[in-house]
Amino acid sequence: MKAGESGYNKIRLINIVMVRRGNCSFTHKVRIAQDSKDAHAVIIIDREDSDFTAESLANIIVADDGYGDGIHIPSVLISKEDGRRLIEAVERPQVQVVVELAWDLPTDQVVTMDMWMSSASIESNKFLKEFAPKRRVLNEVMIFNPHYAVFSMEKGNPEVYSGVCLGNEPRFCAEDPDGAGVITGEEVLMEDVRQLCIHDRTKMKRSSLEDLMSGKHMVEYAAKYWDYMEKFLDRCPLDGTGSSKFGIECSEKVMREVGIDPKEIQDCTMHRRDTILQHELDNPAWSPRAIRINGWRYSGMLEADLVVRAVCSGFIHMPDECNQLYQQRDVFRPYIVQKGGVSLGELFGWLLATIALGFVCMLLYKRYLKKEMRTTLREEVMLEVQAQMGEYAQLRGA
């Protein structure tokens, strides 16, 4: 489409940058496009020597290389064939290319959200704590299914899976959250089972008979599960001590605090432990931390507001609950997640303040030393004068 002949010239369009896959990580490419090219989105085109098709690329994850915290724009990987058509269109003289990036989420009358996590994951628990108030608002229109990351290992040297797997057998295993620390993978597995039992035993039906007759899915909401998840890792941290550390004693204390009967959960874990863990083992996700919405793989940041936006996009008709939870945002303003901790500017500010304080302390100490030296010298001079006067008096008396 030639420039000047389109209504697109009358509206502001976002800046989408195309890059070729290869030579450096996806994250590095997207960061450069964002910071240096003012990109609002990035299209990554597969290499020309790649064997991937558009269909097979759907299984490729544009992974974070560990330095993606500062990236706040979306990116998508496309096949070399699709990329070739885009490049040819862009290279035509006096042609304006307009690209629309659309994430077509499957829609339904009731949205189903599946989340895979670990009970010892600080990141997952932080998300659940932030997501809990929003989940309460969506309690009649959304199904939430928790899943936990369980894996198995080959039987061999017990030292390899000791402390990682249940009962020192490689059938059910979980990641060790603190390495050489005191928390083991077996304790994580047991907490996984407790949380699944809590969700199963406390969920209540929220769908009306009219909703079910109209073809809607049954919606169940486990209010006490969310009360428990909001408090658990704060009350029972991995580095806690005594009855306030990650484990069954602290878990049951939190259960009583939120109104859950620990004996009922004990009965569930005792009789259903292996069945629950086998179900989790048989139904893994592509990652230990993962979310699916209506069966669609969510690939955004693990941030409560963004996940809610994705959930609300999954309704055929957006319910009023979604209007309560978020407002439309300006796509030209970067979405930046507010995180805890100290920023680089704050770090430099504290460093300069510390240096200034140290300098002031040195000046005060220097003044103190001078004052002490003067006092000491004055006393020594007075003592010397008194001694000389004493000797003089003795001479006169002689």
Side-chain angles (χ1 to χ4, degrees), residues 321-374:
E321 287 87 345
C322 288
N323 296 325
Q324 299 175 34
L325 293 174
Y326 76 90
Q327 297 177 344
Q328 295 295 328
R329 70 181 186 89
D330 183 358
V331 297
F332 295 98
R333 298 182 63 182
Y335 185 92
I336 301 175
V337 179
Q338 298 297 325
K339 296 186 176 182
V342 179
S343 67
L344 187 61
E346 291 174 334
L347 178 62
F348 277 117
W350 280 107
L351 184 61
L352 290 173
T354 303
I355 293 172
L357 181 61
F359 182 71
V360 171
C361 290
M362 287 179 64
L363 288 177
L364 293 174
Y365 183 63
K366 184 178 178 181
R367 292 180 60 183
Y368 168 77
L369 286 178
K370 286 182 177 180
K371 184 178 179 181
E372 284 293 309
M373 288 178 65
R374 290 194 187 102

Side-chain angles (χ1 to χ4, degrees), residues 22 31 46 48 131 183 275 351:
R31 188 190 303 112
D46 200 13
E48 280 293 337
F131 187 71
I183 308 301
T275 302
L351 184 61

Side-chain angles (χ1 to χ4, degrees), residues 387-398:
Q388 293 295 329
M389 290 297 292
E391 290 178 4
Y392 177 72
Q394 290 176 2
L395 288 173
R396 287 184 63 186

